[in-house]
Amino acid sequence: MTGNSDRSDAGSSARNLVVTPAAGYFGAHVSGVRLGSPLAPTTLDALRTALDQHRVLFFRRQFLSHTEQTAFAGQLGPLAPAHPWQEPVAQHPFVHRLVTGRQQSVSGEEEHRARWRSPDYLSGWHADITAAVDPPSYGILRAEKVPSRGGDTTWADTVTAYEQLSEPLRRFLDGLTAEHRYLVGYVPFGVTDHALRTATAAGLVTHHPVVRVLPGEERRALFVNPAFTSHINELSPPESRRILDLVFTHMTRPEFTVRHRWEAGDVAVWDNRATVHIAPEDHEHLGEVRAMYRVFVAGSPATGPGGRTSTAVCGARYQVVPQAAS
Ligand SMILES: [Fe+2]
């Protein structure tokens, strides 16, 4: 938090904040705040409380610049690099550009292969950068250009999913760890062979607890995802495959999800420790560009119920850039 209340946006006091649940278990729309201005301490506290409670927050019509998005994220905590190996937006080292649609130059053959690499609906669900020992704690995504239809993002609530497993299964999962690496279950549409080689060369591999204890509270979240989790370390390969399939199918059940229909200017903030998300590839055929920008708040290694923490098998910590929010 920048902390200087006389620079805060007077129109964004905590009293004006309206938080409206967006789905049955989690996710909320927030109005009455302008994220592009420094937030008063009480407003920031209210947003943190809402984020803890709802795990994903949606803000309409914010129209942030790169600088404003970075400054807002910096009020939630120190920032993480924009991406482990991809270049950030020029002059904005914490902003990652995500553009899909026909402006990419992907050959027909690559497009065909990319589709084959994404063989099912489950494979695209992920939390961000869990191949790293210290994945981001929060993601902040803003929509600049959206297709006329399609391109929604869906999040799933891995806290509720954990809590709705049977008690014996929860206890079983509590004691396990799993390996996370790039390119296990999913390669986004349009990713080229060169990008695949780069991702593999980045060599981030981590063992995380399968169940993560969330900081500051008793609640626990499933901390595996189809895109990054290759196997459970303590099980045989066929046991691991079946248990992971069971967990993935369970945690992405429709009742544990919230779906956001993007409009230009929207901002979404999610807890990357307590949710997974997916962007359906349903707009590529429209010939319309979807341009999004993401900033990460730095995270830390996960802690499991028995106190076991994430360990890096290969690669350095992700949040390698010590910095203050700009
Ligand atoms: Fe993501």
Side-chain angles (χ1 to χ4, degrees):
M1 173 59 198
T2 51
N4 193 348
S5 58
D6 61 3
R7 283 171 49 229
S8 302
D9 175 21
S12 291
S13 82
R15 279 197 310 276
N16 295 334
L17 217 60
V18 178
V19 180
T20 308
Y25 285 110
F26 81 126
H29 290 279
V30 181
S31 60
V33 62
R34 285 174 22 208
L35 303 180
S37 305
L39 300 173
T42 52
T43 306
L44 192 57
D45 285 348
L47 283 184
R48 285 184 189 284
T49 300
L51 196 48
D52 281 347
Q53 187 178 351
H54 299 284
R55 295 186 266 291
V56 187
L57 302 180
F58 305 108
F59 305 82
R60 293 282 193 199
R61 293 178 290 281
Q62 295 291 325
F63 299 102
L64 301 183
S65 66
H66 296 322
T67 301
E68 289 169 339
Q69 184 179 9
T70 303
F72 165 62
Q75 293 175 87
L76 296 174
L79 302 186
H83 194 274
W85 65 85
Q86 292 178 14
E87 287 295 316
V89 171
Q91 315 301 321
H92 297 278
F94 302 107
V95 181
H96 181 60
R97 184 169 177 263
L98 294 145
V99 177
T100 50
R102 285 302 173 193
Q103 94 176 17
Q104 295 179 102
S105 57
V106 176
S107 74
E109 190 181 342
E110 284 180 327
E111 180 178 315
H112 176 72
R113 286 204 300 274
R115 286 216 178 278
W116 275 101
R117 289 183 190 122
S118 302
D120 61 43
Y121 171 70
L122 271 183
S123 65
W125 285 98
H126 65 283
D128 285 328
I129 325 287
T130 65
V133 70
D134 50 352
S137 54
Y138 300 111
I140 295 97
L141 186 64
R142 80 175 208 265
E144 186 172 276
K145 199 170 178 49
V146 298
S148 55
R149 62 185 194 275
D152 301 358
T153 304
T154 304
W155 282 262
D157 175 2
T158 54
V159 175
T160 302
Y162 172 79
E163 292 172 351
Q164 294 207 6
L165 289 170
S166 65
E167 201 268 339
L169 189 51
R170 288 201 305 272
R171 254 189 300 145
F172 173 62
L173 296 174
D174 281 349
L176 302 176
T177 63
E179 185 163 303
H180 294 233
R181 56 170 68 233
Y182 268 89
L183 309 175
V184 168
Y186 171 63
V187 177
F189 180 86
V191 167
T192 62
D193 289 344
H194 172 71
L196 291 179
R197 283 194 294 274
T198 309
T200 306
L204 288 175
V205 182
T206 294
H207 289 172
H208 289 299
V210 167
V211 174
R212 181 171 191 161
V213 179
L214 298 174
E217 50 180 321
E218 294 299 305
R219 301 189 86 173
R220 299 175 181 183
L222 294 167
F223 200 60
V224 287
N225 65 78
F228 285 103
T229 307
S230 61
H231 62 277
I232 295 174
N233 294 311
E234 295 80 6
L235 304 181
S236 70
E239 289 170 342
S240 169
R241 185 69 271 145
R242 283 162 178 77
I243 293 293
L244 284 177
D245 284 347
L246 184 158
V247 171
F248 294 158
T249 303
H250 170 78
M251 74 188 203
T252 55
R253 279 163 50 179
E255 60 266 42
F256 302 146
T257 67
V258 62
R259 180 170 180 142
H260 188 63
R261 169 86 271 264
W262 292 99
E263 295 173 7
D266 286 359
V267 173
V269 182
W270 67 94
D271 190 331
N272 195 53
R273 303 160 300 189
T275 58
V276 289
H277 57 274
I278 190 169
E281 295 164 348
D282 65 347
H283 68 284
E284 296 287 344
H285 64 291
L286 300 176
E288 300 177 29
V289 171
R290 177 183 187 266
M292 316 287 284
Y293 293 93
R294 186 189 64 203
V295 174
F296 284 144
V297 175
S300 56
T303 300
R308 214 185 297 198
T309 57
S310 308
T311 55
V313 177
C314 186
R317 288 172 73 100
Y318 177 46
Q319 47 170 306
V320 291
V321 186
Q323 49 78 44
S326 60

